[in-house]
Amino acid sequence: MVRTYEGNPALGEVRHYLNAATSDGPATLYICDNEPDAIAAQQAGCYSVFVDPDADKPAEGAVISVLGGESASVVFDALLDIARRYGAWEHDMDMLRLSGGTLQELVDISEPFLRNNVVVLDPALKLLAYTKNVPCDDPITVELIEHGYHTEANIRKFKLNKRFKPWSEDDGLIVNDTHTICKYTTIARSFKARSSFSIISVMMCNVVDDLGFISDIFTMFTDRVEFFALRDYPDDKPAGSMVDTFLKDLLAGALSDDAVEDRSQYVGIPAEGRFCLFYIETSEDSVPASRLLSDVSLSVAPAKTLMIDDAVVVLCFNCVSDTCVYRCHPKSCPHARQTVSARLNGLLTRYELTCGRSSKFTELSQAAKAFSQARAAYALSKRSALQKEGESANSWPRIFSFDRYSVDFLVDQLSDRAYDLLDFTYAGTIINAIARQDESAHTNNYEFLYAYLMYERRTSTVAEHLHMHRNNVGYRIGRIEEQFGIDTGDPQMRADLLLAFRLREAALMQDAQ
């Protein structure tokens, strides 16, 4: 078989060429069993295949010449079968699209035609669909399928090799034959949202590497993927419209427990797990909301992100530890050392923003309460005199946990009765008395006792924090205990005093507002 045409025409059906009167133009491929017909077809603006078992040279007007093989009728039957199968595939893809099918179903019916391994990813590089029955020995792709998302190490490779730029900016097929990440040549096609790409399809040429032929097949497939990109990933929904709608209903408390369980399985979020919710507000003088949404989505994948009013909300459910810890721990996060909290804190630092964080929860149906917690933590952190401490002095200073501000939240609910509550407790009266004495005698026993309790009576740490000699710490606490009748060696007393400190600080903050 000899190919004599350098282009790649798109043809819809196959017919025998009888004469110029039967020609329907360039959309049909004609079978010719003699050279004059092949030349006549070309002159009529048609594409033809010349088939002659006895010929020893290609026909002048044919795009393909089949010599020394089967008869024209056999080739014609084979081409008819090919046209029929591809036509049926296109029909099935279009019907799947119109009937509300899924991307995975689209990939499943396309496997025999794609031939190679194909993956479809969302903007956070989470796996949406892949060819399940095509062998794959590329480590990056194997890891992607195993985890369900690209790992942090792989994302760093993409960044180093500047893969995100063409995905976000270029139109059409993106061929990469450098083999720097994947061991095979890859063909990618991405669909754009306002801030980045929405869906990206990547074909790894591990079975068929004829770029001309396979690029056409991949284009036919991705033309249908575009429908899902427009339907499920509009500009303001980087997590996908189905996920976005579900999360908005969930956070508004509009779903019953049964509805949460039913709908969660369709969006890839477990109904039970180890959850945490983050709330980040933007402002007119900070980064545009769409840019922040895009950056956060890429940074915290596979956690889900969405925009509610002018706030970016993150639902994380990827803790891998059976024992839930108070803060993100590297051993419990799929991002390892760069936990979701650490990565968020880096972005917030860059954009000079802060974030509220909910308490941890284990039932997805509790997300509405967690949303209120995260939003309250954000609002309270903006008002608190202790804002500079964040989660802790050595972790994520721009993330403020509801657990840190739970007492402030309680005082907010008490309205103007916070001082009454404080005076009802023995520890509260002691704290008020120390504060009054400091004001009249110009001492700092209030600050000293608070630091002594917060740093768990560690003499060296307290001395360093208050810039005093460690030998003075024991002397000062002894004087305070004697003067005010308290015993900081009693665990219950320490707990009561710390709660009283928190109540008083919250009440003072409320007064300041």
Side-chain angles (χ1 to χ4, degrees):
M1 184 165 60
V2 180
R3 181 177 179 178
T4 60
Y5 184 76
E6 296 301 325
N8 206 12
L11 305 170
E13 59 178 324
V14 183
R15 294 183 187 176
H16 274 298
Y17 186 84
L18 301 178
N19 52 57
T22 64
S23 172
D24 286 342
T28 301
L29 178 66
Y30 290 94
I31 305 300
C32 304
D33 56 9
N34 61 78
E35 189 169 3
D37 279 352
I39 295 173
Q42 181 193 40
Q43 292 173 344
C46 303
Y47 299 101
S48 66
V49 174
F50 169 59
V51 184
D52 188 346
D54 300 322
D56 55 3
K57 64 186 179 92
E60 180 179 333
V63 295
I64 295 175
S65 296
V66 182
L67 311 175
E70 300 293 343
S71 65
S73 60
V74 172
V75 174
F76 179 54
D77 286 343
L79 290 174
L80 278 177
D81 183 63
I82 292 172
R84 178 193 59 79
R85 288 192 294 112
Y86 276 89
W89 174 44
E90 289 189 289
H91 173 269
D92 290 345
M93 287 194 293
D94 291 335
M95 289 303 298
L96 183 68
R97 181 189 67 182
L98 295 173
S99 63
T102 66
L103 274 168
Q104 185 58 59
E105 290 175 317
L106 182 70
V107 173
D108 290 343
I109 65 173
S110 302
E111 273 193 16
F113 301 90
L114 296 172
R115 308 276 291 278
N116 288 320
N117 193 280
V118 172
V119 296
V120 183
L121 306 167
D122 73 1
L125 299 188
K126 181 181 183 296
L127 184 65
L128 298 175
Y130 68 100
T131 46
K132 297 179 178 178
N133 300 308
V134 178
C136 177
D137 61 352
D138 175 64
I140 297 288
T141 308
V142 170
E143 197 171 45
L144 168 64
I145 295 172
E146 178 182 350
H147 291 284
Y149 55 88
H150 272 305
T151 63
E152 171 61 17
N154 292 340
I155 291 175
R156 281 199 299 269
K157 292 178 183 177
F158 295 142
K159 290 181 178 178
L160 288 172
N161 288 276
K162 300 180 179 179
R163 294 293 179 87
F164 289 115
K165 182 177 175 62
W167 292 349
S168 299
E169 298 178 0
D170 293 356
D171 293 321
L173 300 185
I174 305 166
V175 178
N176 190 297
D177 56 3
T178 62
H179 302 170
T180 52
I181 297 179
C182 179
K183 63 187 292 187
Y184 300 99
T185 296
T186 62
I187 309 173
R189 186 177 179 188
S190 63
F191 299 98
K192 310 298 185 292
R194 179 173 52 195
S195 55
S196 182
F197 59 87
S198 57
I199 284 184
I200 179 170
S201 303
V202 183
M203 170 181 280
M204 176 180 64
C205 298
N206 61 323
V207 178
V208 177
D209 59 3
D210 182 342
L211 292 181
F213 155 71
I214 207 65
S215 294
D216 288 343
I217 307 303
F218 188 59
T219 298
M220 294 169 66
F221 166 73
T222 54
D223 282 347
R224 276 71 183 186
V225 173
E226 183 176 16
F227 167 81
F228 292 90
L230 296 173
R231 184 192 74 178
D232 297 340
Y233 292 83
D235 284 347
D236 59 342
K237 297 180 175 64
S241 58
M242 184 184 298
V243 175
D244 199 89
T245 301
F246 169 69
L247 290 179
K248 285 186 176 179
D249 290 344
L250 179 70
L251 300 185
L255 302 177
S256 66
D257 290 355
D258 290 340
V260 171
E261 186 170 357
D262 288 341
R263 289 177 60 179
S264 64
Q265 60 183 321
Y266 295 106
V267 296
I269 302 176
E272 298 182 1
R274 288 172 287 279
F275 301 96
C276 198
L277 193 139
F278 301 84
Y279 179 90
I280 311 165
E281 280 192 10
T282 59
S283 61
E284 292 182 359
D285 57 351
S286 67
V287 61
S290 60
R291 172 65 182 275
L292 179 64
L293 183 65
S294 176
D295 287 353
V296 170
S297 299
L298 283 173
S299 183
V300 303
K304 300 297 185 184
T305 59
L306 74 156
M307 181 73 74
I308 296 182
D309 297 327
D310 290 326
V312 175
V313 178
V314 178
L315 175 66
C316 182
F317 50 92
N318 305 297
C319 182
V320 297
S321 172
D322 292 333
T323 304
C324 188
V325 295
Y326 184 73
R327 298 186 178 96
C328 286
H329 192 279
K331 293 182 180 178
S332 304
C333 185
H335 293 297
R337 291 183 62 187
Q338 281 290 310
T339 63
V340 167
S341 291
R343 297 161 68 82
L344 266 181
N345 191 74
L347 275 177
L348 295 169
T349 301
R350 185 196 314 170
Y351 294 130
E352 298 184 349
L353 296 171
T354 56
C355 169
R357 173 180 167 175
S358 73
S359 299
K360 297 208 174 201
F361 57 105
T362 57
E363 303 287 337
L364 189 57
S365 57
Q366 299 170 326
K369 179 182 71 176
F371 177 63
S372 297
Q373 289 177 336
R375 190 164 52 179
Y378 174 83
L380 289 165
S381 74
K382 304 297 286 185
R383 293 157 38 183
S384 175
L386 301 177
Q387 178 181 346
K388 62 182 180 181
E389 294 189 10
E391 287 278 358
S392 78
N394 299 312
S395 55
W396 314 297
R398 291 188 172 270
I399 298 177
F400 300 89
S401 172
F402 179 78
D403 298 299
R404 168 66 182 83
Y405 289 102
S406 56
V407 174
D408 304 72
F409 180 76
L410 174 63
V411 170
D412 256 17
Q413 308 309 304
L414 291 172
S415 186
D416 58 352
R417 299 190 60 196
Y419 285 113
D420 293 340
L421 178 62
L422 194 61
D423 285 334
F424 282 161
T425 67
Y426 175 68
T429 61
I430 295 298
I431 294 304
N432 282 336
I434 294 174
R436 286 194 298 268
Q437 186 199 62
D438 279 352
E439 185 176 359
S440 62
H442 303 290
T443 55
N444 68 338
N445 288 331
Y446 183 96
E447 179 186 6
F448 174 84
L449 181 58
Y450 181 72
Y452 185 75
L453 296 173
M454 280 296 292
Y455 291 105
E456 299 175 329
R457 302 185 298 161
R458 295 194 295 268
T459 301
S460 298
T461 306
V462 175
E464 181 182 356
H465 180 73
L466 295 179
H467 308 291
M468 61 188 296
H469 196 280
R470 64 187 310 274
N471 291 342
N472 291 336
V473 173
Y475 172 76
R476 284 282 300 276
I477 195 61
R479 288 287 303 275
I480 292 172
E481 288 182 336
E482 181 181 354
Q483 183 177 0
F484 292 98
I486 59 176
D487 177 14
T488 57
D490 181 352
Q492 185 62 53
M493 175 60 74
R494 294 198 302 272
D496 291 346
L497 287 169
L498 277 173
L499 178 58
F501 271 115
R502 295 286 300 279
L503 281 171
R504 191 173 191 278
E505 289 294 326
L508 289 171
M509 182 182 71
Q510 187 183 71
D511 281 352
Q513 294 300 311

